[in-house]
Amino acid sequence: DGDVEEPDAALVTCCAILAVVVASYLVNGRRLRLVRELEQLRAVATAAQDVVLRPLPARLEGIELAGGHLSASRGAALGGDLYEALATPYGLRVIIGDVRGHGLSAIGTVAAVLGSFREAAHEEPRLTGVLRRLDRALERHLRSRASGEGPPDGPLDEEFVTVLLLEVGPDGEVTAVNCGHPWPYRLHEQPVGPATARQTEAGEVLPPLGLFPLPAELSAARWSALEAGDTLVLHTDGAEDARDARGTFFPLRRALSEAAGPGPLVPAAVVAGVRSALLGHTGGRLADDAAFVVLRYDRCPLPAPTVLTLPAADAGRG
C-alpha cells in the first residue's frame, strides 16, 4: 500500500513537449515583437531623414541633380552631413555642409541649418545674406541647447559647421561662399574616354560657422560660367579623408572620373559610382560621414533676338 504510482511515461513526455512548445512560442513571440518594433523604428528614422535631409529633385531650373550620403554610425541613416538645392528667384541655390561629429548628436544642428537655408535662400538677394542668416540660426540653436531647451548633444564650445553655398544664375554664372568646406570638383565630358575632373579655383575661405563671428564685410567668389554638359560635384571631407586598412587616402578625383565614365554625364550614376568606390576602398568602415551633390548644367543658350530689316520701300510706309 505504501507504493507510489510511477507517472505515465507518455504523459511526462507530452508535458515536456508542451513546455518546450510554449517556451518556444513565447520566445518567438518576443522575437517577432522585437522585429516589429525595430521595423517601426527604422520606418520612423527613414521618415525623419526624408524630412530633415530631403531627396533632391532630378531636375531644377534646367540643371540635373543627384545627391547621396553615407553615415559613419552603424545603423544610422542620417549623420552630420547636410545638403539641399532650391530653385529661387535668384537662381539655383545649393548648400552642402558638415556638422562636427556624426550620428544622432548632430541631427539637431543639421535641422537648424537646413531649416534656415530653406527660408533664407528665397528671401535674401545676395548669397552673403543667406550666410548671415545661417550664422544667426546656428547661434540661436546653440544658445537654446546651452539653456537646456534642447538635447545635450555635446560640448558647445566645440560645435561648428563647415558650409559651402553655391548659386547658379540664369546664364550659368556661379557664385560661391565658403566657410571651411572643401571646394567642389568640376567634371568635363570627353567624346572618348572618361570625363576629366579638377578642383575648382579657390576663393576666400572663411572659418566654419560657430567658431568666430562673421566679418563685417563678406565677399563671394565668382567663377567662369558653366557651359552645357559641365558638371559640379560638391562633397564633404569624409570622402577625401577616408582611408583603407593600410592608411591610403581615398582617390576621390580618380573615382569621380571613373564614375562619370565616357559620354554624357548622369548625376545619379556619378553619385552611385563614387559611393560604391568609397565603400570598396574602406571596406565599408567609414571614419566620418560622407555626402555628395552632383549638378550637371545642360541649359540651352538663349537664342539671339531676331532683328527684322524692312525693305527700303516698306520702311517709309506708316
Side-chain angles (χ1 to χ4, degrees):
D1 294 337
D3 294 341
V4 178
E5 294 185 1
E6 292 290 338
D8 185 81
L11 179 60
V12 172
T13 301
C14 288
C15 289
I17 293 174
L18 180 60
V20 170
V21 170
V22 170
S24 176
Y25 175 80
L26 292 174
V27 171
N28 288 335
R30 179 178 175 80
R31 183 180 296 114
L32 289 174
R33 286 196 299 273
L34 290 174
V35 169
R36 291 193 190 100
E37 290 175 0
L38 288 174
E39 289 176 348
Q40 290 175 351
L41 289 174
R42 188 176 293 111
V44 170
T46 301
Q49 173 188 337
D50 290 343
V51 171
V52 177
L53 195 64
R54 302 183 301 201
L56 296 182
R59 190 177 183 84
L60 277 177
E61 297 287 314
I63 297 177
E64 293 183 64
L65 294 167
H69 67 283
L70 294 168
S71 176
S73 298
R74 186 175 182 179
L78 184 63
D81 289 351
L82 58 97
Y83 55 81
E84 179 65 288
L86 300 171
T88 77
Y90 314 102
L92 179 71
R93 284 181 166 176
V94 184
I95 183 175
I96 188 166
D98 184 0
V99 177
R100 178 191 173 276
H102 52 264
L104 296 177
S105 63
I107 294 178
T109 305
V110 168
V113 173
L114 283 180
S116 176
F117 174 76
R118 287 165 180 159
E119 181 178 352
H122 292 281
E123 298 177 354
E124 294 292 336
R126 296 186 178 181
L127 210 55
T128 51
V130 176
L131 183 64
R132 290 200 184 278
R133 293 273 291 271
L134 298 182
D135 186 52
R136 292 197 293 268
L138 178 61
E139 183 182 0
R140 287 193 300 270
H141 171 69
L142 297 180
R143 278 203 312 266
S144 173
R145 279 178 42 192
S147 64
E149 298 175 13
D153 292 343
L156 295 180
D157 57 351
E158 298 178 2
E159 188 82 35
F160 61 85
V161 185
T162 69
V163 168
L164 175 67
L165 297 177
L166 284 187
E167 178 183 291
V168 183
D171 296 327
E173 65 274 15
V174 180
T175 305
V177 178
N178 192 334
C179 289
H181 200 82
W183 290 105
Y185 281 84
R186 192 164 180 168
L187 302 180
H188 292 275
E189 299 175 2
Q190 302 295 323
V192 179
T196 60
R198 63 179 179 83
Q199 206 156 20
T200 56
E201 57 269 30
E204 180 184 6
V205 179
L206 299 167
L209 296 181
L211 285 181
F212 306 102
L214 289 175
E217 297 294 330
L218 293 175
S219 60
R222 285 177 172 78
W223 304 337
S224 57
L226 298 175
E227 299 179 359
D230 281 353
T231 301
L232 293 176
V233 181
L234 287 63
H235 64 284
T236 57
D237 60 7
E240 289 181 318
D241 295 343
R243 304 189 188 201
D244 62 12
R246 295 171 297 187
T248 305
F249 285 104
F250 177 60
L252 179 58
R253 180 176 177 177
R254 186 180 72 199
L256 288 173
S257 179
E258 293 175 352
L265 289 166
V266 179
V270 174
V271 171
V274 74
R275 283 180 55 181
S276 177
L278 179 58
L279 289 173
H281 182 82
T282 61
R285 296 181 295 273
L286 296 175
D288 194 8
D289 304 326
F292 305 92
V293 174
V294 180
L295 301 84
R296 182 179 184 272
Y297 184 86
D298 63 354
R299 292 175 182 162
C300 296
L302 296 176
T306 302
V307 179
L308 296 177
T309 304
L310 297 175
D314 296 333
R317 296 178 183 175

